Amino acid sequence: PNAVFLFQADTTMLMGAGARIILTNGTKAENVAWALGTSLTVGADMVFEGSIVAGTAIVFGAGTVAEGSILSGAAVTFGANTVVEGSIVAGSAITFGATTEVHGSAVAISAITFGALSSVTV
């Protein structure tokens, strides 16, 4: 359960709608990291576990649950009905879709835009 896992790609990572990242044998999301040279695109209704570092954009589809911190060299965009259990840092803007919940801090160099009924709990 205390093992550390690092997944790395030189460019992009795409994950389809409804995909699941399942941590087994007591593995903790805080011990999993995803390092991407450019971007991450996550489809709708996905469960994503682990912290993310991407050189450019990160996009989460509607209904996604992200458990871990998120760091992007550029923009981070969340679809509607998304839940984030961790902090977000963006090199440019963060855009939250409607009814997005963030349980952590949100820091952006340029702008943070909240959709209707979105919330950040620190």
Side-chain angles (χ1 to χ4, degrees):
N2 294 320
V4 174
F5 300 91
L6 173 62
F7 299 90
Q8 183 176 355
D10 289 339
T11 60
T12 61
M13 185 165 102
L14 305 171
M15 303 190 82
R20 299 281 188 260
I21 295 172
I22 306 297
L23 304 182
T24 60
N25 298 322
T27 301
K28 301 172 198 135
E30 62 261 21
N31 291 345
V32 178
W34 303 84
L36 307 165
T38 57
S39 64
L40 168 66
T41 301
V42 175
D45 300 316
M46 187 187 163
V47 175
F48 193 100
E49 295 196 64
S51 294
I52 304 160
V53 176
T56 60
I58 299 174
V59 178
F60 291 94
T64 298
V65 174
E67 191 171 318
S69 295
I70 300 164
L71 172 63
S72 173
V76 181
T77 304
F78 297 93
N81 303 313
T82 302
V83 176
V84 180
E85 296 289 343
S87 296
I88 306 154
V89 177
S92 61
I94 301 172
T95 303
F96 296 106
T99 62
T100 295
E101 292 180 31
V102 178
H103 303 274
S105 57
V107 177
I109 298 301
S110 62
I112 299 176
T113 305
F114 292 95
L117 304 175
S118 290
S119 64
V120 177
T121 305
V122 190

